[in-house]
């Protein structure tokens, strides 16, 4: 971490963003021991009150980010940093799911902020997973779709996951089988089948995301699904579905007649 970036979260005077770089001006931190200006103190109090009264729905994304940043950067006006994050990544969800390396490129973002964001991301994933793991998948399909969108819809690279089900179609395991580039992830049917046998699974569901946001299956997606289906059939396993997750919707191979 550069010295400049590290100082962004220390209680010492900070840099001011170069106007030639971007419009966002990073306000210096208040030295330790000095009183917080009323405009910062009162602003934080108002935002917390609005959240307590109306919840997240009452707040735009950048204000929700401010609430997160309050903990990581306790002695600084964080509104410019929150706006810079939204400008860089688009929305709150994409900020949370952004890789640490890309987050660190935003002025004012250091290790404490990245850790705070990643803790929240991990918490949302764990909560979503708790709603589907060890539960019958076919009777909690909406929860399963919510889970897949939570963990995959805002990734900027493709990820391929396999959901392993038992004889009662209860989800017994969810595993990432691979991560690739913005438009490709390698898939190995033999490894999927090997893992299914290790888990004593009876059925599987394939899931991967399209970082472009468009879940329309490619010819390669269709061909790969056929390969996995053939391998599963040879081992008396059922391929229930292949879900492609886009930013705001998903495609089901089963519903589209592709399985």
């Amino acid at each position: 971490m550069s010295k400049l970036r590290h100082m962004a979260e220390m209680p010492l005077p900070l840099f001011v963003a170069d106007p030639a770089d971007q419009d966002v001006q990073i306000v210096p931190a208040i030295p330790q021991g000095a009183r917080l200006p009323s405009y910062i103190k009162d602003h934080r109090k108002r935002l917390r009150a609005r959240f307590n009264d109306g919840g997240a729905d009452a707040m735009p994304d950048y204000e929700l980010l401010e609430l997160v940043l309050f903990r990581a950067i306790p002695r600084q006006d964080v509104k410019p940093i929150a706006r810079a994050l939204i400008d860089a990544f688009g929305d709150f969800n994409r900020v949370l799911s952004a890789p640490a390396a890309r987050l660190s490129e935003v002025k004012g973002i250091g290790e404490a902020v990245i850790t705070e964001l990643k803790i929240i991301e991990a918490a949302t994933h764990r909560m979503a997973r708790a709603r589907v793991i060890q539960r019958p998948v076919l009777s909690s399909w909406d929860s399963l779709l919510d889970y897949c969108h939570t963990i995959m819809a805002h990734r900027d690279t493709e990820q391929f996951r396999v959901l392993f089900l038992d004889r009662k179609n209860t989800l017994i395991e969810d595993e990432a089988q691979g991560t690739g580039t913005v438009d490709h992830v390698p898939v190995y049917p033999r490894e999927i089948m090997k893992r299914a046998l290790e888990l004593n699974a009876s059925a599987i569901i394939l899931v991967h995301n399209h970082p472009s946001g468009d879940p329309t299956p490619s010819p390669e997606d269709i061909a790969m699904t056929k390969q996995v289906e053939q391998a599963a059939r040879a081992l008396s396993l059922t391929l229930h579905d292949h879900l492609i997750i886009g930013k705001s919707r998903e495609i089901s191979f089963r519903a589209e007649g592709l399985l």
Side-chain angles (χ1 to χ4, degrees):
M1 181 185 302
S2 69
K3 180 178 179 182
L4 185 65
R5 198 170 288 134
H6 176 70
M7 290 175 65
E9 295 167 349
M10 296 294 289
L12 297 171
L14 282 173
F15 56 83
V16 175
D18 185 349
D21 281 343
Q22 52 182 313
D23 294 331
V24 176
Q25 299 291 316
I26 305 300
V27 179
I30 308 303
Q32 188 70 32
R35 180 178 298 178
L36 277 178
S38 59
Y39 79 92
I40 294 180
K41 189 175 181 180
D42 293 345
H43 176 66
R44 292 187 172 204
K45 184 177 180 180
R46 285 193 300 270
L47 281 191
R48 289 187 175 111
R50 284 177 53 202
F51 179 79
N52 289 334
D53 292 341
D57 290 342
M59 315 186 79
D61 280 3
Y62 79 89
E63 288 186 342
L64 197 59
L65 268 179
E66 284 189 73
L67 291 173
V68 176
L69 296 174
F70 288 169
R71 289 170 52 86
I73 309 178
R75 303 188 62 77
Q76 186 179 345
D77 180 7
V78 298
K79 182 186 290 185
I81 300 175
R83 287 187 177 275
L85 284 167
I86 296 297
D87 288 344
F89 299 104
D91 59 33
F92 184 83
N93 290 328
R94 287 185 179 274
V95 171
L96 290 185
S97 60
R102 289 196 60 201
L103 287 168
S104 68
E105 295 171 358
V106 178
K107 285 185 181 294
I109 301 301
E111 184 176 351
V113 170
I114 293 172
T115 299
E116 197 76 19
L117 293 172
K118 291 305 168 186
I119 288 172
I120 294 174
E121 181 190 26
T124 60
H125 288 185
R126 186 161 295 189
M127 290 174 65
R129 187 175 189 271
R131 296 188 184 101
V132 296
I133 197 70
Q134 297 300 330
R135 298 191 181 187
V137 166
L138 301 184
S139 61
S140 56
W141 193 249
D142 288 343
S143 294
L144 179 69
L145 294 179
D146 288 344
Y147 169 63
C148 292
H149 276 278
T150 297
I151 64 172
M152 302 179 77
H154 301 282
R155 294 181 56 89
D156 59 2
T157 57
E158 279 199 12
Q159 184 184 67
F160 184 83
R161 306 183 74 88
V162 182
L163 312 182
F164 297 94
L165 315 178
D166 65 11
R167 294 179 183 275
K168 297 181 180 179
N169 287 322
T170 296
L171 179 61
I172 56 176
E173 195 57 76
D174 157 43
E175 295 182 352
Q177 297 290 308
T179 299
T181 63
V182 295
D183 60 2
H184 176 71
V185 60
V187 177
Y188 304 102
R190 180 180 297 178
E191 293 301 315
I192 296 172
M193 297 305 113
K194 177 182 177 182
R195 185 58 176 150
L197 293 174
E198 290 173 349
L199 293 170
N200 197 29
S202 296
I204 58 175
I205 297 173
L206 310 179
V207 190
H208 84 280
N209 64 306
H210 279 182
S212 67
D214 179 4
T216 303
S218 67
E220 292 78 13
D221 292 333
I222 295 172
M224 176 272 292
T225 304
K226 293 297 183 184
Q227 292 175 4
V228 174
E229 183 181 30
Q230 290 171 4
R233 188 182 297 117
L235 296 175
S236 299
L237 294 170
T238 300
L239 174 57
H240 277 313
D241 210 339
H242 182 178
L243 301 172
I244 301 182
I245 306 299
K247 182 176 181 181
S248 59
R249 65 188 183 95
E250 72 286 336
I251 288 290
S252 159
F253 273 50
R254 181 72 63 185
E256 295 295 317
L258 296 173
L259 268 178

